[in-house]
Amino acid sequence: MAWPRLDYDYDRRKREILGRLEELCPNMRFDAVTACGVEDAEKVLERIGEYDGVVLYLLGSGCPVPLLVLEKCDKPTILVDEQYCGSGTFALAYGWMMGKRLPAIGIASSRFQDVVDKVKLISVVKRLRDSRIVVVTPKGERGYVVDRRSELLYGSGSRRFGGSGKTYDIAAQIERVKNLFGIEVIKLGYRDVKRYFDEASVEEAKPIADGWMRGALRVVEPSREEVVRSARLYLGLKKMIHDHNADAITIDCYRRFEELPAYPCLAFFQLNNDGVTAVCEADLSSTITQLLIRYLTEELTGEPRPGFVNDPVADFSKGWIIYCHCTAPSKVFGPNGASNPYIIRSHAESRAGAAIQSLMPTGEPVTAVQIHFMKDPPLMVVHGGRSVCNVDSEDGCRTKLAAEARVETIFSNWNRFGGWIAPAHWHRVVVYGDWRKHLKDLARLMGMDFLEEDV
């Protein structure tokens, strides 16, 4: 005799569960295997290499299979308790599992959608692994913006940044990203950008620029000609992304705007509104983080929300953290959502080019996250807040979204691990909504440490 009861129809329930998973996870394929003993566990482990992840659905208690599979499986694994069926095994396995560095998470809930949301995280991990990123930085230059900023802070030749006396050049970062996440990074140069810009049609760019200008609350500094150049760059980058079958692009732009055919701020604004990931400053950490957010929100809501990469500023007197940058989306809930108001300005620091001041929604929960992939093991940091206002100031970057948060605690934890790998250590990626629990689960499934900066 065993739970749930003597006459329980296991086969019928298995078919019901599989049918609901296939219905609610249409982009995933499930291959159901029944395992009740040690020999079954060994057969499951032999086949695991074929799959992107494993769902251990507990339909009975007292079975050794979950512990055996969990201990040896290196794929993202979801342990699910079928309430009143596998609860005894779940109670024993879950605590043991959580005490180890296993790529596994668990769920025990009477709400089936909670199970579905956990299972879909396997798809998020797979999509990130299959991603391609274009990074644009000067040809022949191994180091890039992170190294130049460190020299500005510590002097030429300094080895202080990175916390371990290392210089993390672009080649090392590309290799690390491939080894950790499976992501392919395609390195291009400014000449490539210029070629795509030159090939982009001016006549096609004009209506895009006019649409941006009509949609803006106002256009302050930039001329129409400057905005048209930005639209032409948008068309060029869009074609570049398409030609390289890429999911994201990041450009080494800061302090090098004069080497680009136009400021990329408006192009990035539109690409992110389109549902394409575009990030400034050749910041691979923020690009990977924003891709993860895009896939997570699309899997769980059906709509990919863009991240807002930013330089956060503290205001202890108000309990605010102010997220600042000169490029930002206006469709923070995804391409099919409403656009919030925006103003077209010049780039704040240089007072040149064309940039965006996005007036983002207030009274909403927001989550800030960053992945530091050069740490070993990699680290994901997260904090939360609630948007309260858009700060209008000529200082700092153009877009300045203020959020109420445990700001003193956040900044106490900001650089706990030491060193400086700018801009990744200052940057955070903000997304609308409270995604902390799902991000914590993803960090575990991907073998990352997890730090809640506001706890």
Side-chain angles (χ1 to χ4, degrees):
M1 297 182 67
W3 280 26
R5 63 181 186 270
L6 183 62
D7 60 347
Y8 190 76
D9 191 337
Y10 291 97
D11 288 333
R12 178 181 176 183
R13 183 58 182 153
K14 283 187 288 187
R15 291 193 299 272
E16 289 175 352
I17 290 169
L18 185 59
R20 294 188 72 186
L21 286 174
E22 290 174 337
E23 176 189 358
L24 297 172
C25 306
N27 296 323
M28 302 179 74
R29 181 177 65 84
F30 296 91
D31 186 6
V33 176
T34 300
C36 298
V38 175
E39 290 185 3
D40 294 330
E42 293 297 333
K43 291 178 182 178
V44 169
L45 288 167
E46 287 175 4
R47 298 178 58 183
I48 275 177
E50 306 170 25
Y51 301 106
D52 298 306
V54 177
V55 180
L56 294 172
Y57 220 110
L58 305 179
L59 284 180
S61 290
C63 176
V65 171
L67 290 173
L68 293 171
V69 174
L70 284 166
E71 191 169 32
K72 296 182 179 180
C73 181
D74 61 353
K75 296 294 180 75
T77 303
I78 316 297
L79 181 70
V80 183
D81 175 26
E82 174 73 358
Q83 204 167 40
Y84 306 114
C85 292
S87 301
T89 300
F90 186 86
L92 294 172
Y94 183 72
W96 171 83
M97 174 185 85
M98 296 304 289
K100 294 179 173 288
R101 289 192 65 90
L102 301 175
I105 58 175
I107 179 65
S109 176
S110 59
R111 182 175 178 266
F112 193 75
Q113 187 61 47
D114 292 340
V115 176
V116 171
D117 288 349
K118 298 291 186 186
V119 171
K120 283 185 174 182
L121 297 182
I122 294 174
S123 182
V124 175
V125 175
K126 181 184 187 302
R127 290 179 66 182
L128 188 70
R129 186 174 66 244
D130 293 341
S131 294
R132 291 162 60 92
I133 298 171
V134 168
V135 59
V136 176
T137 190
K139 293 286 187 184
E141 181 182 321
R142 287 179 62 81
Y144 74 150
V145 68
V146 297
D147 295 346
R148 288 198 301 279
R149 271 215 193 151
S150 299
E151 289 182 355
L152 289 171
L153 284 173
Y154 302 128
S156 179
S158 169
R159 298 179 63 80
R160 287 179 61 186
F161 47 91
S164 59
K166 297 179 181 177
T167 298
Y168 295 131
D169 61 46
I170 187 64
Q173 294 197 40
I174 290 173
E175 181 180 10
R176 176 78 168 162
V177 167
K178 181 67 174 178
N179 291 339
L180 276 179
F181 306 118
I183 300 170
E184 183 179 353
V185 179
I186 304 146
K187 182 178 179 290
L188 301 178
Y190 294 149
R191 283 181 293 182
D192 298 298
V193 174
K194 181 65 164 58
R195 174 169 59 83
Y196 276 96
F197 174 85
D198 289 341
E199 291 173 358
S201 165
V202 177
E203 293 307 310
E204 190 178 348
K206 287 178 180 177
I208 295 172
D210 291 339
W212 289 342
M213 296 175 77
R214 284 194 306 271
L217 289 179
R218 58 186 179 275
V219 180
V220 183
E221 297 89 358
S223 64
R224 180 174 181 269
E225 181 183 7
E226 187 68 51
V227 178
V228 170
R229 290 178 65 82
S230 295
R232 196 174 172 195
L233 182 60
Y234 160 68
L235 291 172
L237 295 181
K238 189 175 179 181
K239 181 69 160 52
M240 176 187 282
I241 292 166
H242 176 269
D243 286 353
H244 290 88
N245 194 27
D247 304 280
I249 186 168
T250 181
I251 296 179
D252 185 354
C253 51
Y254 193 74
R255 302 186 188 281
R256 297 197 107 121
F257 290 118
E258 71 282 354
E259 299 179 53
L260 292 166
Y263 278 59
C265 310
L266 277 170
F268 285 176
F269 151 81
Q270 187 61 55
L271 286 167
N272 281 302
N273 277 354
D274 293 345
V276 178
T277 299
V279 176
C280 48
E281 299 186 58
D283 180 358
L284 285 175
S285 292
S286 293
T287 306
I288 293 166
T289 303
Q290 191 166 322
L291 270 174
L292 189 71
I293 286 169
R294 170 178 148 193
Y295 298 149
L296 171 63
T297 54
E298 186 171 22
E299 289 292 335
L300 269 56
T301 73
E303 186 77 357
R305 297 186 183 184
F308 166 42
V309 179
N310 62 83
D311 301 322
V313 173
D315 188 340
F316 288 0
S317 68
K318 295 179 178 177
W320 287 1
I321 182 167
I322 306 167
Y323 305 111
C324 313
H325 240 211
C326 282
T327 187
S330 67
K331 293 188 174 185
V332 298
F333 295 107
N336 294 310
S339 175
N340 58 249
Y342 63 88
I343 303 167
I344 298 179
R345 300 290 310 268
S346 61
H347 187 270
E349 291 100 325
S350 65
R351 291 300 199 258
I356 280 289
Q357 182 178 353
S358 184
L359 306 176
M360 296 185 180
T362 58
E364 298 280 351
V366 294
T367 306
V369 57
Q370 182 64 284
I371 294 171
H372 299 291
F373 65 80
M374 292 305 288
K375 280 190 59 60
D376 191 17
L379 172 68
M380 180 189 290
V381 297
V382 170
H383 69 257
R386 180 168 291 273
S387 61
V388 292
C389 73
N390 291 275
V391 178
D392 191 9
S393 169
E394 288 300 301
D395 297 329
C397 299
R398 292 302 187 192
T399 296
K400 287 181 279 288
L401 176 69
E404 289 178 337
R406 300 186 65 190
V407 63
E408 293 189 47
T409 303
I410 291 169
F411 280 88
S412 293
N413 288 320
W414 198 273
N415 201 19
R416 187 188 284 183
F417 43 86
W420 179 278
I421 311 175
H425 278 192
W426 188 11
H427 282 173
R428 293 294 183 270
V429 181
V430 167
V431 59
Y432 272 73
D434 182 358
W435 300 96
R436 186 189 304 246
K437 290 182 180 179
H438 297 301
L439 289 165
K440 187 174 184 178
D441 285 341
L442 282 167
R444 187 174 179 92
L445 292 176
M446 296 170 66
M448 290 187 276
D449 285 343
F450 186 80
L451 172 63
E452 294 177 271
E453 297 176 306
D454 51 358
V455 174

